[in-house]
Amino acid sequence: MPFIDTTPALSEYKIKEGNVQEALGKLLEAQGWTIALTFKKAVTTAHFLSNGHPESARHNEIFAVAQHYIYQNAKGKMLGLAIAAEFTEFTNHHMGVPFYNMMGGTTEQKNSMITWLVNKFEDNKVNTSLYYYMVEELPEIENETTLLVPYGGSNINDSDPNNPYRPTDADTILRMALDCEVVETDYATSSQGSLYIKRADPMIMQSPIVKSSLRPNFTEDVSHPFMRTNWWEDSEISLRGYIDSENIFVVLQADNVPAWENNIIPTVPLYFGNIVPLDKGDEEVALFAGTVPPGTNEDQVATYDFDGIVRGGDRIMPILKNYPRHPSNGVDTVMLSRSKFGARYQEYFLSWNAAPNEMPPARQGVNGRKKYQRAYQNFDTTNYKFQFNPSRYSNKIHTSRIYVVHPEEGVRGHLNHSIGLNSTNFSAGKLRVRKENCPDKIFDVYKYVPISGLSPLTKRPGTAYRPMGLGIFESEVNTGEKTVQVNAKNTVQPAEPVDVRIESHSSGTVTLSWTNPSEDGFQSINIYLDSSEEKYASGVTAVNEYLISGLTSGDKHTVTIKAVDINGNESIGITTEEVTVL
């Protein structure tokens, strides 16, 4: 089922702080996505692996390691997700820190260094800070490997050998760890200053990197992980939202019971997938997320100004890209993969049908300082008097598509599987929206999910009016139709998909298309490559076309497609004719 809610105790999908990437991957795979690539990237300073750092050296060094997962949807669009560790280590090579010099070290020394860095990553990773990005092509990295890449870190303060680096050097090291275009650096001479980028592919077109934090840094001290925290690796992260084989629109939240006040554990969105375009054939995808409002203490987070237009999210660029004109950071604004004429990763904004009254009414707490939604004084706020509110007479509420707009292009389309509404004084958990031009009473049911973190849904300029209440599509209901119930005893194989076709339109890929069976109880599609019994993709929903990638040009393949019903029964399957990959 595309709508997923992990909060019930008996939910089959559970996300915990210690396995965020893997758990998200399982959710996506269950809806027909594939993991295209996973790797780690360990970054040291240029000094640390050079002749300038002998085995006898003793001072603090900075490191960063990022673990990347790149997921691919049915259309071949790719979403990267990384988590990272930044740490400083006193480099006493006789006390457990391995020594490796790239200018003359052995393979064994290199492997020891990589193992040490991976272990330090496990000790220092921040599971609740997630980094998302888009790529157009996969980097040429062997799956499940760890890259060792020295970069940056100018040794400028020789008078203090314990702290020789600029504060900004740590940001540079982290940026390289999160980058996936640069895969190798090297030294041209014996000098650490001769470091250069040896192997990279800028045509991967990695987007700006979107940082989404579920908790602020001051809620945890990774150096004292058992003493100074209320959160553990087995602490659950709730996820509610819609996932199909092409789109994901979910809302995440860490356990907020230990800190329910002052908005320090907010609900944050994640959107990746196509928008519903005004211009037919416009197939670009959008990415945005949310994060904890910036602040070094609880009061700063609680009093963050959501009405300000100063960007609050981090701006993290890949190493080979600056995107100098109006790039989106994916938190203050919506990031679109391409403009109509090809510009990549520009800022787009959200618009929805708000009331035409003079704005803004007071959107703040009674003391005027706190501006996050839960601090509002609901019935007493002037927001109640000026915007569309639930009608006590019709029991209805005004809703709107959430439009993606740009000052130059105008309305590009609207977000998929969602509606916007005025959330003030709204207390229902679900909304039913009657479908137009349907002779039967068919409704789209939307789950109301409040958003409290910094995101394009909650802050200017991402949205002109706030607070925007969010409804995420849950199901379609036909009140005149009998509901098909799950029956575990029913083992009858479902009907087959029809009009199954396979073609190869581009190098290394084949495209499979079909029409779903019309029988009641149909749920999803499973796809098998050649005669393998292992699924290439399972739980495929909401699409009638699937891109299979990573194939070798000239090879010949068949694909088997099987229907699955709500009881878990799988059809015998339809196998395509053999196709040669371009």
Side-chain angles (χ1 to χ4, degrees), residues 65 68 92 140 167 179 205 217 245 257-258 264 272 276 295 300 309 336 371 384 387 392 456 473 482 500-501:
V65 182
H68 295 253
N92 187 339
E140 292 187 10
D179 174 277
M205 291 296 175
N217 292 336
S245 299
V257 171
I264 64 172
F272 175 79
V276 180
Q300 289 180 2
I309 61 172
L336 228 60
K371 296 188 176 184
Y384 177 77
Q387 291 198 36
R392 70 180 67 183
F473 178 74
K482 184 178 179 181
V500 179
R501 300 179 183 179

Side-chain angles (χ1 to χ4, degrees), residues 213-216 218-219 231 252-256 258-268 290-295 297-306 369-376 450-455 458-459 466:
S213 294
L214 305 182
R215 292 193 279 110
F218 58 76
T219 61
W231 294 268
L252 299 101
Q253 185 177 33
D255 183 2
N256 70 330
W260 53 268
E261 71 278 55
N262 290 327
N263 204 34
I264 64 172
I265 313 292
T267 50
V268 301
T291 191
V292 177
N297 58 57
E298 194 164 325
D299 185 68
Q300 289 180 2
V301 172
T303 58
Y304 180 72
D305 185 9
F306 285 87
R369 297 179 68 235
K370 297 180 181 179
K371 296 188 176 184
Y372 60 93
Q373 185 178 331
R374 288 186 67 181
Y376 294 176
I451 306 294
S452 54
L454 165 59
S455 80
T458 58
K459 181 187 178 298
R466 51 175 216 87

Side-chain angles (χ1 to χ4, degrees), residues 50 63 70 74 108 167 198 243 271 300 320 327 333 339 352 401 410 420 464 541:
S50 73
F63 304 90
I70 298 178
E108 183 179 359
K198 184 176 182 179
I243 304 176
Y271 184 101
Q300 289 180 2
L320 301 178
T333 55
S339 70
W352 56 299
R401 297 293 188 189
T541 56

Side-chain angles (χ1 to χ4, degrees), residues 229-438:
T229 185
N230 289 101
W231 294 268
W232 316 86
E233 286 205 344
D234 63 352
S235 296
E236 287 191 22
I237 294 173
S238 73
L239 179 148
R240 291 173 291 170
Y242 181 92
I243 304 176
D244 64 26
S245 299
E246 191 174 1
N247 302 275
I248 174 171
F249 196 175
V250 296
V251 176
L252 299 101
Q253 185 177 33
D255 183 2
N256 70 330
V257 171
W260 53 268
E261 71 278 55
N262 290 327
N263 204 34
I264 64 172
I265 313 292
T267 50
V268 301
L270 167 62
Y271 184 101
F272 175 79
N274 66 301
I275 61 174
V276 180
L278 287 186
D279 187 5
K280 186 177 180 180
D282 185 353
E283 297 184 350
E284 302 308 323
V285 298
L287 168 64
F288 67 85
T291 191
V292 177
T296 58
N297 58 57
E298 194 164 325
D299 185 68
Q300 289 180 2
V301 172
T303 58
Y304 180 72
D305 185 9
F306 285 87
D307 288 317
I309 61 172
V310 175
R311 307 307 193 255
D314 289 358
R315 187 176 186 270
I316 307 173
M317 294 293 169
I319 294 297
L320 301 178
K321 305 286 196 308
N322 284 330
Y323 299 113
R325 301 290 295 176
H326 305 295
S328 174
N329 64 8
V331 169
D332 293 275
T333 55
V334 176
M335 184 187 301
L336 228 60
S337 54
R338 303 288 293 270
S339 70
K340 285 185 176 181
F341 294 126
R344 290 175 170 85
Y345 311 129
Q346 292 289 290
E347 286 190 312
Y348 285 74
F349 308 89
L350 298 177
S351 176
W352 56 299
N353 293 335
N357 306 82
E358 186 70 21
M359 295 292 172
R363 292 182 285 258
Q364 57 196 20
V366 69
N367 63 6
R369 297 179 68 235
K370 297 180 181 179
K371 296 188 176 184
Y372 60 93
Q373 185 178 331
R374 288 186 67 181
Y376 294 176
Q377 298 301 304
N378 285 344
F379 213 88
D380 295 329
T381 181
T382 52
N383 195 26
Y384 177 77
K385 302 178 179 68
F386 282 93
Q387 291 198 36
F388 294 116
N389 288 273
S391 169
R392 70 180 67 183
Y393 305 107
S394 66
N395 201 31
K396 294 181 180 180
I397 188 171
H398 178 84
T399 62
S400 165
R401 297 293 188 189
I402 305 172
Y403 296 98
V404 179
V405 301
H406 187 273
E408 183 65 26
E409 293 184 339
V411 178
R412 188 74 178 268
H414 62 81
L415 297 182
N416 224 332
H417 309 300
S418 59
I419 55 173
L421 63 141
N422 176 25
S423 61
T424 304
N425 303 306
F426 182 78
S427 59
K430 296 182 181 181
L431 303 92
R432 293 197 313 177
V433 178
R434 176 83 178 264
K435 283 194 169 184
E436 295 181 3
N437 303 320
C438 288

